[in-house]
Amino acid sequence: MDHRLPIGRLEELGISLYDEAALAVLCRSCNARKGNRYTAEDEAAVLASVNAEPRKRAIG
């Protein structure tokens, strides 16, 4: 299993790390190749699946 978005980004968005929309099945080599990268489409798909909107990080 792999997180479709980096864990830090999921936390910023307020999405559970265990939400099915945030997880994908990848083999070990594909997971390693993907690393911490993701696309805007990945983020949009996760947000649409959990029906959430991006939250801005508090400054200060």
Side-chain angles (χ1 to χ4, degrees):
M1 295 300 286
D2 180 45
H3 292 96
R4 294 175 68 185
L5 302 177
I7 291 172
R9 184 64 181 140
L10 290 170
E11 291 171 344
E12 288 175 5
L13 295 169
I15 299 172
S16 169
L17 302 180
Y18 305 105
D19 192 307
E20 288 182 22
L23 300 173
V25 178
L26 295 178
C27 67
R28 184 181 301 237
S29 62
C30 289
N31 188 6
R33 185 173 41 241
K34 178 184 164 284
N36 217 23
R37 294 182 303 262
Y38 68 98
T39 65
E41 290 81 17
D42 292 334
E43 185 168 317
V46 170
L47 289 171
S49 294
V50 296
N51 196 22
E53 295 183 9
R55 288 192 264 162
K56 294 185 179 180
R57 178 182 275 179
I59 298 175

